[in-house]
Amino acid sequence: AQSVTQLDSQVPVFEEAPVELRCNYSSSVSVYLFWYVQYPNQGLQLLLKYLSGSTLVKGINGFEAEFNKSQTSFHLRKPSVHISDTAEYFCAVSDLVQGAQKLVFGQGTRLTINP
Amino acid sequence: EAGVTQSPTHLIKTRGQQATLRCSPISGHTSVYWYQQALGLGLQFLLWYDEGEERNRGNFPPRFSGRQFPNYSSELNVNALELEDSALYLCASSPYLETQYFGPGTRLLVL
């Protein structure tokens, strides 16, 4: 079964600094990768996704992620964060083996932006 | 375009009661998914419906059940509520086997 590991449970960063949120997944033949963001007391919003093609994926709000098959990683980056980026970020993998369409999520990374 | 909607936003029940949560998918989406986000347990897959049929089920007991209606909306029913069922229940929708988009969730509190 697929699993996702988000290596940092909390990441504090100063405003306008760069940030990287790390995500590793267990290997599979066919896998789609996603990053979702959850603002306080809200549902999940899709930031970006990797389905195929270019390994560098750009998303909303200035975020991007790089798919690295050899390292089974999908790290999320932003060159300059804003206070409004304070939220919890979830990495997820969709495993299409046997048509079992479901998302497997990491435990989440809480990003805190300090002024 | 309207997003995924869920009702109610909050639900308070006592142990042993039944809870019914509702979800309306994005127009044109045939699949509906349910996830549980419980404190300390993260986001866990519950159920997947497509075209009115249950396609996949997570590791939850049978007292978690649901259905999908002809208009693709869905209900999640939780019978014999237990304290540990307290959680945020998230619904997502998608076209078949495509990207999932989430609703705002229903926060269930079991007393």
Side-chain angles (χ1 to χ4, degrees), chain A residues 2-4 7 9-10 17 29-30 35 39-41 43-44 46 55 59 70 79 91 95-96 98 104 114:
Chain A
Q2 279 285 0
S3 66
V4 177
L7 296 155
S9 59
Q10 296 188 60
V29 174
S30 177
W35 276 98
Y39 298 103
N41 300 312
L44 300 178
L46 179 68
T55 57
S70 63
C91 180
D95 189 340
L96 296 182
Q98 299 178 346
V104 175
N114 299 307

Side-chain angles (χ1 to χ4, degrees), chain A residues 16-90:
Chain A
E16 298 183 4
V19 69
E20 178 180 81
L21 306 184
R22 297 179 292 169
C23 172
N24 286 90
Y25 63 95
S26 57
S27 178
S28 177
V29 174
S30 177
V31 65
Y32 297 159
L33 294 157
F34 305 84
W35 276 98
Y36 287 87
V37 60
Q38 186 175 36
Y39 298 103
N41 300 312
Q42 294 188 27
L44 300 178
Q45 181 181 3
L46 179 68
L47 269 180
L48 48 77
K49 60 185 176 183
Y50 172 79
L51 304 181
S52 64
S54 173
T55 57
L56 183 62
V57 181
K58 293 191 183 297
I60 62 171
N61 302 340
F63 284 93
E64 63 181 32
E66 186 155 18
F67 170 61
N68 188 320
K69 188 173 182 178
S70 63
Q71 297 187 2
T72 59
S73 68
F74 190 55
H75 300 333
L76 181 70
R77 301 184 184 101
K78 186 170 182 178
S80 176
V81 295
H82 190 266
I83 290 283
S84 59
D85 293 323
T86 296
E88 188 142 22
Y89 292 78
F90 292 92

Side-chain angles (χ1 to χ4, degrees), chain A residues 32 34 36 38 41-46 49 51 88 90 94 96 99-107, chain B residues 33 35 37 40-45 48 56 88 90 94 96-105 107:
Chain A
Y32 297 159
F34 305 84
Y36 287 87
Q38 186 175 36
N41 300 312
Q42 294 188 27
L44 300 178
Q45 181 181 3
L46 179 68
K49 60 185 176 183
L51 304 181
E88 188 142 22
F90 292 92
S94 176
L96 296 182
Q101 169 73 337
K102 66 177 184 181
L103 290 173
V104 175
F105 287 89
Q107 287 297 102
Chain B
Y33 312 80
Y35 293 85
Q37 186 177 26
L41 295 178
L43 280 151
Q44 296 185 77
F45 168 75
W48 168 32
N56 195 12
L88 180 67
L90 292 165
S94 79
Y96 184 67
L97 293 182
E98 294 187 24
T99 302
Q100 297 178 32
Y101 294 90
F102 285 80
R107 192 165 296 278

